[in-house]
């Protein structure tokens, strides 16, 4: 298979950073997008000698930033084969204690950020018969206590995937990855201290971000043979 050209958002940490490493190690070309420029540059350095990593600093809540990321990628490599709008966050709280600003931030990053990315990337992906890998969650299909708004954002991501599948059928493949707990800094953003320390052990025992990255690689590499529409990943508790 050719060396694909892929844009990954939320690439500075966790699943996104592992994905950049996994794809670059195969010799693929990865545009790594997030706000933390220093983290992106160290990923770029770490992957020198394998695939090519472009570090693009920006915020998914700003449409112009993701538009620029798509343009820089296309101008560096002549096109784009896949986008992974992975940037996302969750704040956990019982609904009655929820903080409006945290609800808004989840909607802004997990839904609007995904839409900003897709709006910029889909025209180019359609030209290149490309692939969207959306990052859902078990929370895309189930609602859990203390995470109602996060669950709502991930339900939205799944609906967006389904809509792409229906309306770009002949031009763009779409996969939704629905992981359970993954051991990343994700839970550390929760400001409710009691919940944060209650939940942290579940994430410590969760999947590695490398495992999720491998699954994403598998879906991309299936190009031409079939499309994984949805993959649910759970920790192996044996
Ligand atoms: O989280 P973390 P994960 N603009 O905190 C970026 C989903 N998920 O890897 O901007 C641009 O290590 C942030 O970068 P920075 C989850 O919902 C996870 O676990 O530099 N980027 C960082 O790179 C999310 O969709 C679990 O701060 C922004 C990245 O997002 C995805 O997996 C379970 C940004 C977050 O890295 C990756 O999460 C599940 C912005 N405005 C789904 N705001 C899990 N970990 O258990 C944030 O079901 N980022």
């Amino acid at each position: 298979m050719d060396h694909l050209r892929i844009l990954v958002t939320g690439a500075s940490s966790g699943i996104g950073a592992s994905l950049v490493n996994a794809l670059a190690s195969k010799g693929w070309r990865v545009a790594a997008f997030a706000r933390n420029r220093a983290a992106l540059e160290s990923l770029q350095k770490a992957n020198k000698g394998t695939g090519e990593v472009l570090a693009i600093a920006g915020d998914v809540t700003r449409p112009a930033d993701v538009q620029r990321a798509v343009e820089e990628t296309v101008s560096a490599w002549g096109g784009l084969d896949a986008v992974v709008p992975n940037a996302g966050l969750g704040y956990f709280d019982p609904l009655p204690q929820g903080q409006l600003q945290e609800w808004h931030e989840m909607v802004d990053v997990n839904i609007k950020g995904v839409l900003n990315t897709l709006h910029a990337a889909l025209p180019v992906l359609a030209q290149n018969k490309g692939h969207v890998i959306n990052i859902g969650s078990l929370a895309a299909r189930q609602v859990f206590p203390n995470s109602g708004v996060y669950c709502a954002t991930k339900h939205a991501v799944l609906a967006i995937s389904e809509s792409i599948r229906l309306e770009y059928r002949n031009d763009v493949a779409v996969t939704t990855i629905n992981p359970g707990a993954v051991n990343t800094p994700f839970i550390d953003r929760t400001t409710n201290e009691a919940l944060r320390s209650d939940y942290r052990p579940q994430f410590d025992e969760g999947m590695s971000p490398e495992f999720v990255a491998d699954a994403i690689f598998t879906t991309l590499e299936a190009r031409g043979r079939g499309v994984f529409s949805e993959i649910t990943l759970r920790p192996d508790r044996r």
Side-chain angles (χ1 to χ4, degrees):
M1 150 170 295
D2 287 343
H3 290 167
L4 299 185
R5 301 157 296 189
I6 299 159
L7 170 63
V8 178
T9 73
S12 62
S13 166
I15 295 168
S18 294
L19 182 60
V20 172
N21 289 328
L23 301 180
S25 74
K26 307 287 178 190
W28 292 9
R29 290 167 285 179
V30 197
F33 180 93
R35 290 166 303 179
N36 184 340
R37 181 188 294 277
L40 299 178
E41 286 172 355
S42 55
L43 265 181
Q44 189 177 38
K45 240 190 219 156
N47 285 290
K48 272 226 162 84
T50 55
E52 212 176 316
V53 175
L54 264 186
I56 307 177
D59 186 327
V60 291
T61 67
R62 297 184 190 181
D65 285 9
V66 272
Q67 184 67 46
R68 173 175 48 83
V70 169
E71 285 165 8
E72 281 184 29
T73 308
V74 171
S75 107
W77 298 324
L80 183 63
D81 300 301
V83 67
V84 187
N86 158 77
L89 78 167
Y91 291 114
F92 296 84
D93 248 335
L95 207 56
Q97 288 158 40
Q99 298 181 47
L100 190 59
Q101 172 258 321
E102 295 188 348
W103 292 358
H104 284 183
E105 200 182 333
M106 287 187 276
V107 169
D108 286 345
V109 177
N110 300 4
I111 304 180
K112 290 190 189 173
V114 169
L115 290 173
N116 291 338
T117 308
L118 293 174
H119 190 262
L122 276 167
V124 186
L125 290 176
Q127 275 169 20
N128 292 268
K129 303 287 179 193
H131 198 154
V132 171
I133 313 275
N134 276 332
I135 309 299
S137 172
L138 294 185
R141 291 228 168 256
Q142 238 179 303
V143 175
F144 300 94
N146 306 322
S147 56
V149 176
Y150 179 71
C151 295
T153 65
K154 292 301 185 178
H155 276 62
V157 167
L158 193 59
I160 293 163
S161 289
E162 279 302 284
S163 156
I164 294 170
R165 188 177 65 76
L166 293 171
E167 298 195 29
Y168 279 89
R169 190 177 286 278
N170 297 319
D171 294 315
V172 178
V174 59
T175 302
T176 311
I177 303 284
N178 291 330
V182 186
N183 190 5
T184 70
F186 173 81
I187 191 63
D188 305 331
R189 293 178 193 258
T190 284
T191 51
N192 180 322
E193 283 175 30
L195 280 184
R196 192 173 67 232
S197 46
D198 261 17
Y199 285 172
R200 186 64 247 181
Q202 284 178 38
F203 287 83
D204 289 338
E205 291 167 10
M207 293 167 279
S208 69
E210 290 78 15
F211 177 70
V212 181
D214 281 351
I216 296 172
F217 174 72
T218 301
T219 68
L220 287 166
E221 202 218 10
R223 189 184 178 96
R225 291 180 288 133
V227 176
F228 293 94
S229 293
E230 201 174 338
I231 302 183
T232 304
L233 302 170
R234 291 187 167 87
D236 186 344
R237 304 263 187 224
R238 289 170 294 177

